[in-house]
Amino acid sequence: MEKLTDEEMALWQAWKLASETVRTHIAADITAATGLSDPDFGVLTRVVELSGGRMRQNRLAELMGYHRSRLSHHLARMEERGLISREAVGSGMEVVATAAGREAVALARPVHAAAVREHLIEPLRRADPSVFLAGLRELTPSK
Amino acid sequence: MEKLTDEEMALWQAWKLASETVRTHIAADITAATGLSDPDFGVLTRVVELSGGRMRQNRLAELMGYHRSRLSHHLARMEERGLISREAVGSGMEVVATAAGREAVALARPVHAAAVREHLIEPLRRADPSVFLAGLRELTPSK
DNA sequence: AGCGGTCTGTTGAGATGTCAACACACCCGG
DNA sequence: CCGGGTGTGTTGACATCTCAACAGACCGCT
């Protein structure tokens, strides 16, 4: 089979559009309210919420699914803006959220929750959330 | 309500992961087989399939949801690589797919179809595709 | 013709992401 | 102690994206 059927095409188009839409809307809400980009927010929530404000750079990279290089560049920018600082620890580096960083996440958290509800959760209530979730799970092999 | 409930969180996490996964896998398949990036493929399919190999830059920008600037930069790069050329027409510009460009899409099309099936359609068969589609449609206001 | 106003692209600067090469600390076997 | 892996980040070059400023063509009105 070479071309997608109409049905397949409809699913694909809807998927692509929805992915884009949800992603950009949520990111825009957070940026508008706090100045944090999506990566900024990702870094800070993980560092602050998952290990009390201090985390090994390597672990952070895994959690975010970033390559070491990308994270390094990004953290350098965040450091310049005063959101985090870094300390050498043994072989590697430890990322520490600064006061400004912790403040920024605190501000962003409720905005994020509201945005997720507005752009994802609420719309899905009109459909069938649990079936939808099951579908999503099929898309990500346990890997 | 400030924080997301467990259920909301599960949906959000699954959504974020699935969006990323599907997007990157499909793009990677196309790039591996043809050297075309996702934007390259988007430009070429639209120009070739929607208007026989020639399209006004402005319309292309709308179709792709790109700002004029981004498209301009991207087309400049594609032009350098010989995938398209551009001609001034009245007030604006017309994008023309070159032979190499048409060849590249021809090569990419079946790869794209296969990738969409493998990474999106087939996994969803194990769930409930029509309910899933209905959910997706709720996520994108008719705009 | 002449004068704005609008539409369409381009440009350059800066932010961000990707990739491969490199540097350094740590570990382990001799 | 030495010598090479292995693990962890950094760096620089380059690709890509965003944003605001700019430039030219066209339009409508006088």
Side-chain angles (χ1 to χ4, degrees), chain A residues 25-41:
Chain A
H25 283 179
I26 294 179
D29 284 1
I30 295 179
T31 300
T34 69
L36 295 178
S37 71
D38 194 62
D40 295 340
F41 181 66

Side-chain angles (χ1 to χ4, degrees), chain B residues 96-126:
Chain B
V96 184
T98 63
R102 288 196 299 284
E103 199 177 320
V105 227
L107 192 59
R109 222 184 329 253
V111 175
H112 174 256
V116 169
R117 286 211 184 85
E118 175 183 352
H119 300 296
L120 184 74
I121 309 290
E122 287 305 330
L124 285 180
R125 276 197 216 299
R126 294 194 291 273

Side-chain angles (χ1 to χ4, degrees), chain A residues 118-130:
Chain A
E118 176 183 351
H119 301 297
L120 183 74
I121 308 290
E122 287 304 330
L124 286 179
R125 276 197 216 297
R126 294 194 291 273
D128 185 336
S130 64

Side-chain angles (χ1 to χ4, degrees), chain A residues 35-108:
Chain A
L36 295 178
S37 71
D38 194 62
D40 295 340
F41 181 66
V43 165
L44 288 173
T45 50
R46 284 167 178 83
V47 170
V48 171
E49 297 177 6
L50 265 54
S51 59
R54 165 176 302 264
M55 182 182 289
R56 198 58 187 292
Q57 198 165 308
N58 190 34
R59 181 153 122 77
L60 183 54
E62 272 177 29
L63 291 175
M64 313 238 330
Y66 279 17
H67 286 282
R68 288 184 260 111
S69 161
R70 177 173 178 186
L71 183 59
S72 178
H73 280 303
H74 193 76
L75 292 180
R77 292 187 292 259
M78 290 183 73
E79 196 165 18
E80 270 175 19
R81 288 186 286 150
L83 295 170
I84 58 149
S85 63
R86 284 186 284 185
E87 301 171 11
V89 166
S91 59
M93 282 282 156
E94 218 162 39
V95 183
V96 184
T98 62
R102 289 195 300 282
E103 200 177 320
V105 228
L107 192 60

Side-chain angles (χ1 to χ4, degrees), chain A residues 16, chain B residues 36-51 53-55 57 60-61 63-64 66 70-76 78-79 81 83-86 95-97 101 105:
Chain A
K16 219 175 21 168
Chain B
L36 295 178
S37 71
D38 193 62
D40 295 339
F41 181 67
V43 165
L44 288 173
T45 50
R46 284 169 179 82
V47 170
V48 171
E49 297 177 7
L50 266 53
S51 60
R54 166 174 302 265
M55 181 182 289
Q57 199 165 307
L60 183 53
L63 292 175
M64 313 237 331
Y66 279 17
R70 178 175 178 182
L71 184 59
S72 178
H73 281 302
H74 193 76
L75 292 180
M78 289 183 74
E79 196 165 19
R81 288 186 287 150
L83 294 170
I84 59 150
S85 64
R86 284 185 283 184
V95 183
V96 184
V105 227

